[in-house]
Structure formats: C-alpha cells, structure tokens
Amino acid sequence: MCNAIASDSNSKNLEMSLKTKITKLLSKAESNQTIGIAFRQDAMAYCHLSELGECQYHQAPITDGNQEKAIKELVNTPDVQAQGHLVVAPSQYQIVQVDKPEVPEEEMLSALKWQVKELVTIPPEDMILDYFSGPVLAGGSEKLNVVCSQKSALKVLVEALDDSDINLKTISTEEFAFASLVPFQEQALMLVCQQPNEEIVILIVKLGRIYFHRRLRGYAQLGTKTIEELSFGAVDSLSLEIQRSSDYFERQLKQAPIKEIQVILPIKTADYIVNKLGENTNTPVVSFSFDERHKDKAMFAAAIGATQLDLMERFVHD
C-alpha cells in the first residue's frame, strides 16, 4: 500500500513538473533581441543586438575550461533577454567527411554515428552529431560533412541557459558562424578568418553554402608575431595554403575561379598580412568589411556571425 502511494505521488509530481515546464515555455515571450555567444579556448565572447539594432559586445575569460561559469555570469547580466545562438569552441567538435549512407533520411543520424565512430575521438554513447552536404565531385559519390560533439559537454551549457531569459535557438560551429557573415551571392568568396588565439580557418562560401572548409594548424599565435617575424615565412606559408585551397576548389570541385579573398584577423598586424597576401596571389585580397555597427569588432566576428545563423544552413540541436 505504501509503495503504491509513493508511486502515485511520484507520478503526480512528475506530471506537475512537466506541466510547469510546458507552461513556462509557452508563456515565454519571443524576444526581438538576439545574442550570439562564441566560445574559444580562453574566452567567451558575445554580441547582443537590441530590438533597435544597437549592439553590445563583451568577452569573459574562461578559467580551467569552466564554460558554465561564464554562461551563468552572462544570464545574470541585467536586461539580457534574447533569442540565443551558441557557437562551441573549435576544441569541442570534430568534422569528418564520409560517403553518404544509402539509408532513409530518418535513419541518417543513426547510420552516421556508427560510420564515423572510428574517425573521431568521441565515444558513440556520448556523441551528438549533425551533418551538411558537400559539393559532389565529378563522377564521385555524394559526401556528407559530419559534425560531432560531446553530448555531456553541450548538456552543461544548455542547462545553464534553461532557466534564463536567453531562449537558445541554435548550437553551431565556428565555420558556420563565419560563413553567415558572407552575403548570399552566386560568386564564390574565400574567407580567411580567425578567432583570437585560435587557428585560422579557410572557407569558400557560395549561395549561402559552405563549399570548402579547412582549419590550418600552427597559426594560433600569429597575433604575437612582429612584422619582422612574419616576414620570415609565416605569411608566405599562409599564402601557399590559400593557393592550395583555391586549386582544390577549381580543379577537384570543378568550380569557377575565386574572384576575391576576404580576411578577418583580429590582430594588430592584419593590414600588413592582407597586403602581403595580395602581393603573393593573383586574386584580390581585402580585409572583410563589417557593416557600420560592427566596425572594428573583428575579435567578435564569430559572435556577430552567430546572430545571423538563422539565415544559414546550420548545425542545429533542439
């Protein structure tokens, strides 16, 4: 009898808890404000857009990898009520390319999990993944780019936002945050971009899609180098990687040549690097032009891009 009562009580408590949560979600007003939150290894940056389009920027250091603390400080900030878009740190996800499995769409994620388990370091039982299509090579099979992250790590961040005034809409990656900055256009654009103290990413974006992505290793400390040190080969090696990426896009993907390269480097020597890259290639190289409200905010580029993720094909988790 006691067990039966206890069981019935627990059932009612659970029902009440679910009703409370559903009621809260339904009654939560859709905010016209947007906040883009971008993590990197040493900091969390955010860009908060008000209903009038006014912007606030802030970054908080990450100590001992404690991202949850930074999130909790953010949600306790007065007047931060917004639709949220979260970009995880590059160290928190892996992207691998595989042949598209021949399975029904509803079985795709399950099939991909076992297809990539030997290619990534995240165990299948703690893996959350999504994918985006890559261009089909001439005569080749269709490829998928599979984005894998650790479910337990993302759960901490999502739960930290659960009872806040930030309504989390998307979780995405650095690549998509940067790509969302590029206007929708038929002409392919190469973007050479970087968050502070992270590696450089090369993207080729066309018609709102990522056609090519590549992360370069060894450039995280580029901002600490003097112009003299850069002249010893760092810029030349970057030029070579850019040329290799262009060649792959044109020759392997059979695409028209890139007409322009735009650069987002949040470092003091950015102008020097842009000029040297321009001298080393036949393709015009320019600094990325942010709109007026984001002028001189290159260090917040990923967070700014996150505010525009609804416009991109994206890596989303509900």
Side-chain angles (χ1 to χ4, degrees), residues 44-58:
M44 180 194 78
Y46 72 78
C47 171
H48 181 204
L49 302 182
S50 73
E51 295 180 33
L52 300 176
E54 298 169 338
C55 307
Q56 290 184 340
Y57 309 89
H58 184 70

Side-chain angles (χ1 to χ4, degrees), residues 113-114 117 120-128 149-151:
K113 180 177 289 189
W114 297 106
K117 70 185 183 77
V120 299
T121 58
I122 305 168
E125 62 272 16
D126 194 27
M127 185 189 299
I128 188 165
S149 193
Q150 194 173 2
K151 186 187 300 182

